[in-house]
Amino acid sequence: MRPWKLLGLAGLAGVAATGAVLARNERQRRAYSPDDVRARLHERHAALASAEDEAPEPAPSAELVAGRRHRLARLLRRN
């Protein structure tokens, strides 16, 4: 069998498998009622909002600060 035929068959099998996965995900997504979806979104939003309130603001890394200083110094030298 020629290699191109094998590649074509493999591609066709990949497309079919992708379609099957997408169809399964769509069926699972449509299984929720609008009220279920709304309730889950509210729960996720509340969890993210509480996590943002608890998490402190991360300090910038030394590399980031050094990069900003380098760009600022370059701009000042130009002017």
Side-chain angles (χ1 to χ4, degrees), residues 56-79:
E57 197 62 34
S61 68
E63 294 170 352
L64 180 65
V65 172
R68 287 180 181 165
R69 284 185 190 147
H70 180 69
R71 283 193 300 268
L72 181 61
R74 218 178 347 157
L75 284 173
L76 291 175
R77 275 185 261 149
R78 286 183 189 165
N79 294 332

Side-chain angles (χ1 to χ4, degrees), residues 28-42:
Q28 288 175 351
R29 186 184 67 80
R30 288 180 186 242
Y32 295 116
S33 72
D35 292 331
D36 291 338
V37 172
R38 190 176 301 112
R40 290 182 65 179
L41 286 174
H42 284 296

Side-chain angles (χ1 to χ4, degrees), residues 6 13 21 44 48 58 75:
L6 289 175
V21 168
R44 287 173 56 189
L48 288 173
L75 284 173

